[in-house]
Amino acid sequence: MLKTLLGVLLGLGAVSGAQAGTAPRDLPEGGCWISEATGRPLPDYVLERRDILVDPANPNRILMRGENPGAPAIAADREPCSRSAEPSREVGLDPAVLAEINAARADPAAYAARLRVYLHAFRGRIVEEPGRPQIMTVEGASAVEEAIDDLERRAPAPPLATNVALARVARSLLADQEASGRIGHVGSDGATLSERMRRAGVFAMGMEEDIAYGGSTPAEVVRQLIVDDGVRDRGHRQSLFDPHMDRAAVACGSHARWGSMCVVDMAGGMMPARGYDGGR
């Protein structure tokens, strides 16, 4: 993949002005544009919001540059596929992810038992699950084993109740990164989590935000955050199991580079404010 991506970067370096900034309507019709990074189709709304360069040697290969000049470019190839294979923007994944988080909070030891099954999928640092692309991890099985040991010793935490104000906060970052291809907790306008919460009328004693990129099912999303592979302080796991958090919202959608993303925003000790929804 690295060799192929470098090739398209070098090839597109010589793209003429007539080939740069191609609009989606000028691209070849039929099939889907498959992201090289994720192996998944890119939705039309992602193509419409990005600067597209066409490989002069291959009209079925494009390179997209996002709003952030420092972000990696995204290579994609046109392949036959069903449009139904596009990443979904439906909100059905949102409550399912929150339910998965609450199940883990309610019984950490039971979730640890599920992680023991997951251990069988490791071949060194590579995860091989039936019907799924291979995944190269940073730490390998040791991160999962550490998570199992942690969860087996954890006390249950209270469930997180859905909150509509927090949903506005999570969706604002989702919409930003769906369009820009950025990652992280700071929006393209420089807004931090606390600023986005203030804009949404959320005031709380404590707040947390976790983001998972690339997961396509609730199990994958939550497992990614709990195992926290490559994150030294396991900060995502610590916040998911924080007993002081009692309200939450999840917003899942597409991401131009990673195919999908889920934002999990949590708060504890929410305080009434003008426009506050009363904790519902």
Side-chain angles (χ1 to χ4, degrees):
M1 180 182 293
L2 178 58
K3 182 178 180 181
T4 303
L5 182 55
L6 287 175
V8 75
L9 287 170
L10 292 173
L12 289 170
V15 172
S16 68
Q19 292 167 312
T22 300
R25 63 178 178 274
D26 299 325
L27 295 174
E29 296 182 357
C32 298
W33 291 96
I34 308 297
S35 168
E36 185 175 77
T38 67
R40 296 173 181 167
L42 293 170
D44 288 337
Y45 69 89
V46 170
L47 295 170
E48 290 168 357
R49 297 176 181 175
R50 302 182 72 86
D51 185 23
I52 300 173
L53 304 177
V54 179
D55 185 344
N58 181 2
N60 292 316
R61 187 163 179 79
I62 59 175
L63 184 74
M64 296 179 294
R65 292 174 180 160
E67 298 173 1
N68 180 8
I74 302 163
D77 294 288
R78 188 167 68 98
E79 299 179 7
C81 73
S82 166
R83 299 310 296 174
S84 63
E86 287 185 353
S88 173
R89 298 188 77 183
E90 296 181 359
V91 297
L93 190 62
D94 302 356
V97 169
L98 184 56
E100 183 84 356
I101 292 171
N102 276 332
R105 284 170 63 97
D107 195 342
Y111 195 89
R114 292 171 57 183
L115 290 180
R116 287 195 181 280
V117 177
Y118 178 54
L119 279 175
H120 297 301
F122 279 83
R123 302 293 181 269
R125 290 194 297 146
I126 297 176
V127 177
E128 297 180 351
E129 294 185 283
R132 304 290 297 167
Q134 290 185 344
I135 298 175
M136 174 64 77
T137 65
V138 176
E139 301 174 65
S142 63
V144 181
E145 292 168 342
E146 186 272 333
I148 291 171
D149 181 64
D150 182 346
L151 266 58
E152 287 180 337
R153 293 181 287 105
R154 278 189 182 268
L160 298 166
T162 302
N163 182 271
V164 295
L166 286 175
R168 293 195 294 270
V169 180
R171 288 172 190 156
S172 67
L173 185 63
L174 172 65
D176 182 320
Q177 296 192 358
E178 279 185 324
S180 67
R182 294 166 61 95
I183 61 173
H185 299 278
V186 179
S188 57
D189 61 353
T192 62
L193 172 61
S194 59
E195 173 61 18
R196 284 184 278 113
M197 285 200 172
R198 185 191 65 79
R199 292 175 182 174
V202 177
F203 299 90
M205 298 294 291
M207 58 187 69
E208 302 274 5
E209 180 172 82
D210 292 336
I211 311 173
Y213 298 93
S216 59
T217 67
E220 288 178 347
V221 170
V222 177
R223 184 173 64 200
Q224 179 187 135
L225 295 172
I226 289 178
V227 173
D228 231 1
D229 175 51
V231 181
R232 180 172 296 181
D233 65 359
R234 312 299 191 205
H236 301 97
R237 184 195 310 161
Q238 302 306 328
S239 62
L240 281 190
F241 286 96
D242 187 340
H244 300 101
M245 299 295 108
D246 56 14
R247 298 288 189 274
V250 178
C252 298
S254 298
H255 189 272
R257 184 182 179 197
W258 296 110
S260 62
M261 64 177 290
C262 284
V263 181
V264 182
D265 283 335
M266 296 168 284
M270 289 183 68
M271 296 174 283
R274 182 175 296 178
Y276 177 54
D277 67 350
R280 292 185 294 276

